[in-house]
């Protein structure tokens, strides 16, 4: 069975999504919605990571339940160095790029949840199916938020 590998990939994707949401929240602190909602949505992914790690034990995977936390000092230093080197664009364009990244990552996680739910139905693993049914709607909410925020901001940013 390859469900352990699917869980490992989903765990990695959820952890990346959590880190991306935290990064976007930190980067755009002046936008209160992005700051607060980004942190709330990141917590959902962090919870998903812990739940995936728990159920993945049954499939031979030893996954970190705490993955998806904030960036470490080295990652922050690299990011700050890029900013100082002038590799970032204007803050508004950076916002669009960041929201696009959240949308793409959450869409990938959504597909992973869908695949896992199908597999859980196939092998009649109720606990795994319940996990997918619990977490997938939250991932869809993350994706809809990023998409909505992109739609709200794109015209003003790109036309000005």
């Amino acid at each position: 069975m390859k469900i352990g590998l699917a869980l490992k990939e989903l765990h990695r994707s959820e952890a990346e999504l959590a880190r991306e949401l935290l990064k976007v929240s930190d980067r755009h602190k002046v936008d209160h919605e992005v700051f607060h909602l980004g942190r709330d949505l990141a917590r959902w992914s962090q919870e998903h990571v812990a739940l995936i790690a728990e159920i993945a034990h049954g499939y031979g995977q030893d996954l970190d339940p705490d993955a998806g936390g904030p960036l470490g000092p080295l990652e922050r230093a690299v990011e700050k160095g890029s900013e100082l080197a002038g590799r970032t664009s204007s803050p508004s364009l950076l916002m669009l790029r960041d929201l696009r990244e959240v949308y793409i990552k959450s869409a990938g996680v959504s597909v992973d949840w869908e695949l896992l739910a199908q597999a859980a139905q196939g092998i009649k693993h109720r606990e795994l199916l319940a996990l997918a049914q619990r977490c997938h709607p939250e991932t869809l909410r993350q994706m809809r938020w990023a998409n909505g925020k992109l739609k709200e901001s794109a015209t003003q940013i790109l036309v000005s």
Side-chain angles (χ1 to χ4, degrees):
M1 236 187 291
K2 298 172 183 81
I3 293 178
L5 295 175
L7 285 166
K8 186 176 181 181
E9 174 59 22
L10 180 58
H11 178 270
R12 185 196 61 75
S13 298
E14 280 279 12
E16 280 186 20
L17 178 57
R19 282 191 293 273
E20 188 67 29
L21 283 162
L22 289 172
K23 187 170 79 177
V24 170
S25 173
D26 283 345
R27 234 187 228 169
H28 304 285
K29 287 179 182 170
V30 293
D31 186 321
H32 294 288
E33 180 191 340
V34 171
F35 179 75
H36 292 291
L37 206 49
R39 292 196 169 286
D40 290 345
L41 296 175
R43 267 192 291 279
W44 284 354
S45 281
Q46 290 168 334
E47 289 171 14
H48 296 175
V49 164
L51 293 169
I52 294 165
E54 186 179 313
I55 204 164
H57 272 290
Y59 291 95
Q61 298 294 323
D62 185 25
L63 304 174
D64 180 5
D66 297 322
L71 296 177
L74 179 60
E75 293 163 316
R76 284 181 188 265
V78 168
E79 191 170 298
K80 196 68 176 169
S82 292
E83 285 178 24
L84 294 173
R87 292 188 187 141
T88 58
S89 53
S90 75
S92 57
L93 287 176
L94 185 61
M95 168 87 86
L96 288 181
R97 190 189 79 188
D98 287 347
L99 291 170
R100 179 179 175 271
E101 194 64 28
V102 168
Y103 179 81
I104 290 169
K105 287 185 181 203
S106 58
V109 170
S110 174
V111 170
D112 288 347
W113 279 120
E114 191 65 47
L115 295 175
L116 202 61
Q118 291 298 317
Q121 283 180 332
I123 62 170
K124 299 181 183 359
H125 188 168
R126 289 184 185 173
E127 190 180 346
L128 187 57
L129 181 59
L131 178 66
Q133 289 174 334
R134 178 193 178 270
C135 297
H136 192 202
E138 291 176 345
T139 301
L140 291 172
R141 174 69 181 97
Q142 292 167 320
M143 192 169 68
R144 282 194 297 268
W145 172 74
N147 191 37
K149 194 71 182 161
L150 278 167
K151 286 179 180 176
E152 175 189 305
S153 308
T155 303
Q156 184 179 0
I157 292 170
L158 295 176
V159 173
S160 64

